[in-house]
């Protein structure tokens, strides 16, 4: 009885569940790439861009072939997926900038030549890792994932007529 109920829920929400699993994997990939690049000294926003686009690329192929099973018009779907991904990237950057405004990261953020974040030399030279950055990045992943699911389900992977 419980197994049947779980099966019914899975069937009803299959795309959302698989999107979540794929998204979890790709978000983890995004997260670790972002944190590792930031840790080796690459600017946090640049690290974020590289992490996000790696996650988007892997996510597109997994969702196209395994989840939504919509592999026709692959180039058109990829362009839509990347557009949704780019919108998610902008949302992610906005969240990181807002997080920096609230907490200030140890490493100053430079975006198009404009330096944001802490100018406190002691904070920058502190060897402890900035957990504020990690927390804000983690929050941004969940907010962006929800935003992107709905756009991808109803726009990118809409069934062809």
């Amino acid at each position: 009885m419980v197994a049947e109920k779980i099966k019914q829920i899975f069937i009803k929400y299959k795309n959302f569940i698989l999107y979540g699993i794929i998204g979890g994997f790709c978000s983890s990939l995004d997260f670790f790439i972002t944190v590792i690049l930031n840790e080796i000294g690459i600017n946090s926003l640049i690290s974020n861009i590289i992490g996000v686009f790696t996650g988007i690329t892997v996510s597109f192929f997994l969702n196209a072939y395994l989840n939504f099973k919509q592999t026709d018009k692959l180039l058109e779907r990829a362009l839509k997926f990347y557009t949704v991904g780019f919108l998610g990237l902008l949302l992610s950057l906005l969240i990181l900038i807002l997080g920096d405004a609230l907490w200030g990261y140890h490493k100053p953020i430079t975006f198009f030549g404009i330096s944001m974040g802490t100018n406190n030399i002691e904070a920058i030279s502190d060897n402890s890792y900035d957990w504020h950055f990690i927390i804000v990045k983690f929050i941004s992943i969940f907010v962006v994932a929800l935003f992107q699911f709905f756009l991808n389900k109803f726009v990118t992977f809409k069934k062809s007529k």
Side-chain angles (χ1 to χ4, degrees):
M1 185 154 164
V2 173
E4 185 62 34
K5 198 71 153 166
I6 292 171
K7 183 179 177 183
Q8 289 173 350
I9 291 171
F10 181 79
I11 290 169
K12 184 174 182 177
Y13 298 107
K14 177 184 171 192
N15 288 134
F16 185 73
I17 293 167
L18 288 175
Y19 191 87
I21 291 168
I22 291 168
F25 171 74
C26 293
S27 294
S28 296
L29 183 64
D30 164 8
F31 180 81
F32 287 113
I33 287 171
T34 300
V35 169
I36 288 167
L37 292 176
N38 187 253
E39 185 64 22
I40 64 171
I42 296 174
N43 173 279
S44 57
L45 291 180
I46 300 300
S47 299
N48 187 58
I49 290 167
I50 294 168
V52 166
F53 273 101
T54 302
I56 290 170
T57 301
V58 173
S59 182
F60 171 72
F61 287 105
L62 291 175
N63 275 296
Y65 285 94
L66 299 177
N67 187 12
F68 297 107
K69 297 183 177 160
Q70 296 295 317
T71 57
D72 63 323
K73 303 178 184 175
L74 207 55
L75 182 59
E76 179 184 328
R77 291 183 191 281
L79 291 173
K80 288 179 183 178
F81 197 84
Y82 275 93
T83 299
V84 170
F86 180 72
L87 293 173
L89 172 62
L90 292 178
L91 181 58
S92 175
L93 290 172
L94 176 64
I95 293 168
L96 285 174
I97 290 168
L98 290 174
D100 182 55
L102 290 173
W103 285 315
Y105 305 132
H106 286 294
K107 297 173 186 168
I109 296 173
T110 304
F111 192 61
F112 293 113
I114 301 168
S115 182
M116 298 174 279
T118 184
N119 288 322
N120 183 344
I121 299 301
E122 290 176 22
I124 295 168
S125 65
D126 183 2
N127 288 330
S128 65
Y129 195 76
D130 190 352
W131 288 101
H132 292 145
F133 175 73
I134 291 175
I135 292 167
V136 173
K137 174 62 180 171
F138 194 70
I139 291 168
S140 78
I141 287 172
F142 284 100
V143 172
V144 170
L146 283 173
F147 169 77
Q148 290 177 322
F149 171 76
F150 290 107
L151 284 176
N152 281 318
K153 177 160 177 66
F154 297 111
V155 177
T156 306
F157 293 110
K158 182 178 172 183
K159 293 196 186 298
S160 297
K161 294 181 181 180

